[in-house]
């Protein structure tokens, strides 16, 4: 049972304060930190400013958690919800909730001398997810760069996690060379993707070339995907692009065209977070050859995933534990999606720490992809952990 809990504020990758929690039991220790988003969905659980959240937790929350059994995750998470008393963790803060919830699982795993992926996934957890990494990006993650938030690659033909991780990094590096050659050298966005001042069409062109080069060099099949984060482009009526606006119907057609033109295997948030019907139209058109994934649409929330299932809105759910606040809720979301034939993708946030928990969650819960960038310390902490996990399987 829990003997001691420490919560503190630490730095995240944007230089902002975030929450980290340590949980000690007689024979276990768990530590986890909360990430944070920039293009957050309206229906996500609510964070409290980190310092204020930590103070509040120390005073009002932690005393009630001492003595709890870390191996009873469901009860621990239910207690967090009860102590919070709101539907969206706006009282204690979803940042405090997710850090404590994940630290609880890690303390339990440690007390049993098990790796987290083994504790949560059991004896049959046997496959690491493929890494899905962004190599060019803009939107809310960089100023004056691409309009589509993330241009992603996934090495679908990779033999193992190591080859997969290195393939994505090689594409990232090759994209830099190609940008330089075109006189479009640039810095990086929040997630480590290149943030050039180019049109989306040129980004597709450059990545297509980079993927071709790396595929040949490494002899591995690599595919492209995108995260449009379309809620950020939507003004309530239309999708605003630099060279004009698109109606929701035109946006669906544009997305379907991109899928076919660039053989996209993954499209996240192609439409705004309220548009279940637009999602359904697109899924109907291209869902047989492409994953249509809801991030802001579903916010890792079973009620919204249920609505998506009824409307056949998507065939994939993005999973971000901090969108919903606890590991139990995260598991419920994954379970609901997978038992209804949808794929799941475990994801980082644009504001991250070196915490590598999501590599374990993605493996334990059999997510098809782990979406966590391609380079950068807070991204490679997850990617390198994936390589280590695969060694243990
Ligand atoms: P966020 O963006 O972490 O800034 O919300 C990531 C995403 O949209 O997937
Ligand atoms: Zn997204």
């Amino acid at each position: 049972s829990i003997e001691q809990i420490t919560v503190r504020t630490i730095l995240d990758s944007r230089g902002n304060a975030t929450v980290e929690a340590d949980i000690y039991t007689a024979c276990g220790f768990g530590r986890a930190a909360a990430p944070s988003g920039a293009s957050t969905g309206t229906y996500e659980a609510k964070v409290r400013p980190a310092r204020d959240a930590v103070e509040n937790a120390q005073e009002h929350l932690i005393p009630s958690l001492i003595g709890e059994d870390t191996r009873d995750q469901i009860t621990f998470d239910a207690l967090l919800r009860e102590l919070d008393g709101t539907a969206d963790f706006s009282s204690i803060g979803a940042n405090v909730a997710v850090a404590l919830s994940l630290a609880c699982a890690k303390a339990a795993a440690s007390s049993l001398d098990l790796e987290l992926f083994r504790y949560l996934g059991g004896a049959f957890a046997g496959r690491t997810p493929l890494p899905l990494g962004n190599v060019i990006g803009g939107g809310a993650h960089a100023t004056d760069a691409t309009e589509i938030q993330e241009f992603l690659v996934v090495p679908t033909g990779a033999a193992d996690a190591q080859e997969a991780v290195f393939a994505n990094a090689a594409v990232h590096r090759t994209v830099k060379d190609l940008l330089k050659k075109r006189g479009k050298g640039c810095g990086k966005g929040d997630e480590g993707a290149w943030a050039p001042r180019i049109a989306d069409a040129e980004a597709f062109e450059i990545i297509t070339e980079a993927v071709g080069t790396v595929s040949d060099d490494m002899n591995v099949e690599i595919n492209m995907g995108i995260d449009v984060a379309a809620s950020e482009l939507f003004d309530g009526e239309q999708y605003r692009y630099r060279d004009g606006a698109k109606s929701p119907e035109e946006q669906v057609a544009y997305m379907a065209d991109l899928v076919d033109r660039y053989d996209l295997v993954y499209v996240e948030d192609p439409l705004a977070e309220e548009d279940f019907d637009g999602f359904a139209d697109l899924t109907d058109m291209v869902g047989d050859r492409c994953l249509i994934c809801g991030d802001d649409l579903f916010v890792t929330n079973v009620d919204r995933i249920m609505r998506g299932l009824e409307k056949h809105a998507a065939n994939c759910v993005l999973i971000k534990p901090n969108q919903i606040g606890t590991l139990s809720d995260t598991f419920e979301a994954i379970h609901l999606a997978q038992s209804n034939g949808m794929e799941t993708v475990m994801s980082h946030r644009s504001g991250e720490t070196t915490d590598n928990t999501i590599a374990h969650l993605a493996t334990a819960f059999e997510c098809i992809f782990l979406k966590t960038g391609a380079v950068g310390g807070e991204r490679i902490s997850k990617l390198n952990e994936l390589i280590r996990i695969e060694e243990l399987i």
Side-chain angles (χ1 to χ4, degrees), residues 40-153:
T40 49
T42 305
Y43 303 100
E44 293 193 24
K46 299 292 174 286
V47 299
R48 229 175 126 146
R51 286 196 182 80
D52 163 59
V54 163
E55 248 175 60
N56 178 69
Q58 283 161 342
E59 227 173 285
H60 302 295
L61 189 60
I62 288 169
S64 313
L65 298 173
I66 302 299
E68 287 301 308
D69 182 0
T70 55
R71 297 178 198 172
D72 185 354
Q73 186 74 37
I74 292 174
T75 300
F76 182 85
D77 288 342
L79 183 57
L80 286 178
R81 285 227 170 261
E82 186 189 318
L83 292 166
D84 174 80
T86 71
D88 58 6
F89 277 119
S90 49
S91 173
I92 65 170
N95 40 355
V96 159
V98 80
L100 285 168
S101 182
L102 296 176
C104 173
K106 289 168 93 172
S110 141
S111 74
L112 294 163
D113 205 18
L114 290 172
E115 291 281 342
L116 184 64
F117 81 89
R118 187 62 73 197
Y119 168 63
L120 294 174
F124 299 107
R127 207 189 56 218
T128 51
L130 284 169
L132 176 69
N134 49 344
V135 293
I136 292 183
H141 293 165
T143 319
D144 275 341
T146 57
E147 297 189 90
I148 289 175
Q149 181 178 281
E150 302 170 25
F151 292 81
L152 300 146
V153 290

Side-chain angles (χ1 to χ4, degrees), residues 14 36-41 44 141 149-150 191 227 229 268-269 295-296 318 320 347-351 371:
R14 276 193 278 257
S36 71
S39 60
T40 49
E44 293 193 24
H141 293 165
Q149 181 178 281
E150 302 170 25
E191 295 177 346
D227 178 3
E268 180 180 324
D269 283 354
D295 170 12
D296 293 349
L318 199 74
K320 292 169 165 169
S347 173
H348 66 167
R349 302 305 303 253
S350 51
K371 185 190 184 208

Side-chain angles (χ1 to χ4, degrees), residues 269-282:
D269 283 354
L271 295 142
E273 63 197 349
E274 310 285 2
D275 195 358
F276 283 83
D277 294 329
F279 263 83
D281 289 342
L282 183 64

